[in-house]
Amino acid sequence: MAEQHTLEPDDHAPTTGWVGASVLRKEDARHLDGKGMFVADVIIPRTREIAFVRSNMAHATLIGVTKPEGHAHQVFTAADLGEIDHLTAGPEIAAFRNTVYPPLAEGRVRFAGQTVAMCVAGSRAEAEDLADQVGVDLDPLAVVIDAVDAMKPGAAKVYDSWQDGAFMTSAVKGGDVKAARGKAKFSVRRQFKMARQTCNSLEGRGVLAYYDRRLDELVVYMSTQGPHVMRMALAQCLKIPEHKLRVIAPDVGGGFGGKNRLTPEEIAVVALARQVDYPVRWIEDRREHILASAHAREHWYDITLHADAEGTFLGLEGEVYVDAGAYSLWPVGAFAEASMAARNLPGPYRIQDLEIRNFTVATNKAPLGPYRGVARPGACFVIERMVDELAHEMGIDPMDLRQRNIVTAAELPYTTVGEMVLDTGDYPASLRGAIELINSDAVRARQKQGEPDGRRIGLGFAFYTEQSGHGTAEWTRRKSRVVPGYESCVTRMMPDGTVLLLVGIQSHGQGMETTLAQIAAHELGLKPAQVQVRHGDTGISPFGFGTFASRSIVMAGGAVAKSSRQLADKLRAIGAKLLQCAPEDTTLADGQVMSGSGGVSFAEIGRAAHVRSELLPEDVDPVLEEFATYEPSVSGGAFSYATHAAVVAVDPDTGSVELLDYAVCEDCGTMINPLIVDGQVMGGVTQGIGTALFEEIPYDEQGQPLATTLAEYLLPCASELPRIRVKHLVTPSTFTEYGVKGVGEGGAIAPPGAIVNAISDAFKETGAFFNTTPCTPRRIVAALDAARDAHSSHEVGA
Ligand code: MCN
């Protein structure tokens, strides 16, 4: 592996070995200096600000909207927005029930917070004042707030014409679960719930749109994970030719999945910009974010794990319900959530007999979207809790049980019953690595000794695999409306020999301005500082799908490598002519084409190609620009993986949890930048801790959300976090450039499993069962009380 650089400070930085170097992030300089530019920072003269009028009821007929007197021209309803083609959102599966999600409500509202009208004024405060004066006449309808109840006969319906409450019902099946059930010595059945959350990126959604008269095009600044795909969708629903629509994502302050869906507010703002002669902007505030951005998770499971007398897993069966809210967001809604949870339930274990029925259910809540980990945090939570529950029942160590059932290195590649091909790695080594890193023996000794303050110590583990960088075959298999098969890059050398990368991918916190520059620098013999990465502007960069599904390093990294190598070949051809040698006798380093002791600088080559074409070889055209698309040869995905270990101290009286230690032993193949990988893992773990212990949007019986500010929706802050320690195993993928695998989501997948297993471990002898995230103090005390009650009624009975 390449030598490690920690900084790239000056002219003395090397020009080789950038793949694998812990370079500080280039983009952080502007962010730390407060010089970033987000949608809210964009200054376009005469911009007016928007506030939305939202439904305060969860389900109602919309009878009418009354505009305040004298301000009618500043208030817009669905009827004022002009023609809009409603997009079909959801998979291309006949059984999926499509819904129309109008940007402003038409005739019916289906969740509290749905957009009804928009108000425009000189400032946001004035627009909000106006919004307060708009009258919304609603006639309430029966409300559905529970996904399991929604599927019962006679339940109220979100859509009158549907025969039941589900967008879609399906099943993931394989092998013979009935036979497994018959052979089982142990059949452990449990129910679990993972709460509704939202992504809570630092920057909420934001959109600014105006008509550029000179270019005769609509310009849209948008905080998005994928500007090209958003342009496609906006062009389609607003009937604007794509060459007349430019979508620019400036700095994007995180997305975590939520900004990978086109939402009604964004469509409404752009639709309005079509018809007014001033720029309009909407910036989502925190309350709107928690109320009405893409929500996430809210899974319910009823699962039985069958095992023989030695604890060998035989089969898995049960049901998964996903509460998908009231509508589907373009392109695919939340359809993947339930089936993906079902496909991922067996985890890394040898389970070939499986039957999981899954339901994607409509309720009167904000629509569901993807959130870091998509479905897998739920699946991992459930299977990893089940492993511990079975181990407790058998009276053995859960890590022994994992070792007995986990796929070994020799068994890879291994095709799961969910038809995913786990490619390379050493899963048992990761389990062992986590045991060592967390210092399991010392934790057990402390646990045995007891705490002076009466708190209980618990140690928990969870393992996951993360499908990353999957392409055409996998998305086609899922019947996805958009098949993100590849990424693209233009590598362009400027006349002075520096390099510009134009990429279709969209970095929104992942540090790709650094890692992609590292790859080009590595291939071309430059320093990352000599490479500029441009993304996020459909007017400049080639088409790309954007950043999600931990795909960027595999896809965009591959495209950068490929186009940079193509350019390297051209540089060698020109350099060879200038050096009067054969191209095969040249190498690239230190910003030069070298041959023997001679060298010609990229600046000289740049000059020759741009303004002195008489110096070029006859068969080489003067364009120092190479374009490439890239998709790995295997498109089912490269699987990274990790074991997470958590140590908790829990107060048995108050249920308060302190995370004493957290360790991750992960493998994402070759790392382009280990420092960034560490950051990705730690950020993900922090969000996973939020899922495990804090974050939740509960709803009351009328469908009113009970958490709409950060006072009620709790996020983990620095004081709640332990030092997160990360150990890397490196098993390169065999089918990606440099052997990389994605890592962006993994950190968020395992914490609920590891932490709740740790809480369960702390109270193992009580028989208390912890089955819900967030595992709040109240829920912990309730589980302990329930176990005590069960125990005493047992004693009475006995
Ligand atoms: N990387 C690397 N070596 C590897 C793998 C990754 O150096 N073997 C680096 C990459 O170069 C990139 C970063 O790590 O700079 C993440 O790469 P990758 O795993 O390919 O993930 P993506 O770039 O596709 O990011 C998407 C992923 C997802 S799906 C969510 S959700 C998420 C996440 O990344 N949202 C984020 N990380 C986030 N980080 C921030 N700060 N903000 C978000 O919104």
Side-chain angles (χ1 to χ4, degrees), residues 255-256 508-510 515 551-553 670 672-673 680 741 743-744:
F256 304 111
H508 52 277
Q510 290 86 354
T515 45
R551 64 190 293 277
S552 308
I553 201 56
T670 304
I672 300 298
N673 184 326
Q680 286 292 307
K741 300 176 177 183
V743 76

Side-chain angles (χ1 to χ4, degrees), residues 413-560:
Y414 178 87
T415 305
T416 71
V417 57
E419 290 173 11
M420 294 182 289
V421 184
L422 307 177
D423 52 341
T424 47
D426 189 340
Y427 302 168
S430 159
L431 295 180
R432 290 193 300 274
I435 290 172
E436 255 171 51
L437 200 57
I438 204 78
N439 202 346
S440 171
D441 289 345
V443 179
R444 291 292 178 216
R446 178 174 172 180
Q447 192 176 39
K448 212 165 159 195
Q449 192 180 350
E451 297 295 289
D453 59 7
R455 292 191 305 170
R456 309 291 287 268
I457 301 295
L459 171 62
F461 294 88
F463 182 100
Y464 71 86
T465 61
E466 177 188 5
Q467 185 181 24
S468 77
H470 32 294
T472 307
E474 174 63 18
W475 294 98
T476 310
R477 182 189 187 286
R478 296 184 193 181
K479 308 265 188 276
S480 179
R481 193 160 290 281
V482 171
V483 173
Y486 63 90
E487 277 302 323
S488 56
C489 175
V490 171
T491 303
R492 177 186 293 163
M493 181 160 279
M494 312 304 280
D496 68 354
T498 57
V499 165
L500 190 64
L501 299 180
L502 304 173
V503 287
I505 205 81
Q506 167 65 36
S507 186
H508 52 277
Q510 290 86 354
M512 272 179 270
E513 288 173 43
T514 308
T515 45
L516 298 184
Q518 281 179 252
I519 291 175
H522 186 85
E523 293 297 336
L524 291 166
L526 280 169
K527 303 167 191 177
Q530 294 166 310
V531 181
Q532 174 87 346
V533 178
R534 294 289 294 272
H535 61 75
D537 185 343
T538 60
I540 293 176
S541 57
F543 187 84
F545 293 87
T547 295
F548 52 92
S550 305
R551 64 190 293 277
S552 308
I553 201 56
V554 173
M555 299 284 181
V560 171

Side-chain angles (χ1 to χ4, degrees), residues 148-201:
V148 178
D149 289 348
M151 292 303 290
K152 292 184 180 149
K157 283 194 187 144
V158 181
Y159 292 94
D160 304 336
S161 61
W162 292 9
Q163 269 150 22
D164 63 29
F167 283 97
M168 193 162 82
T169 299
S170 63
V172 176
K173 288 184 196 174
D176 185 351
V177 93
K178 212 168 147 195
R181 200 188 302 146
K183 282 188 271 176
K185 166 85 180 4
F186 296 97
S187 289
V188 177
R189 181 178 177 189
R190 297 286 187 272
Q191 290 165 352
F192 298 93
K193 177 157 188 199
M194 180 165 273
R196 178 167 277 251
Q197 296 182 248
T198 190
C199 302
N200 263 307
S201 44

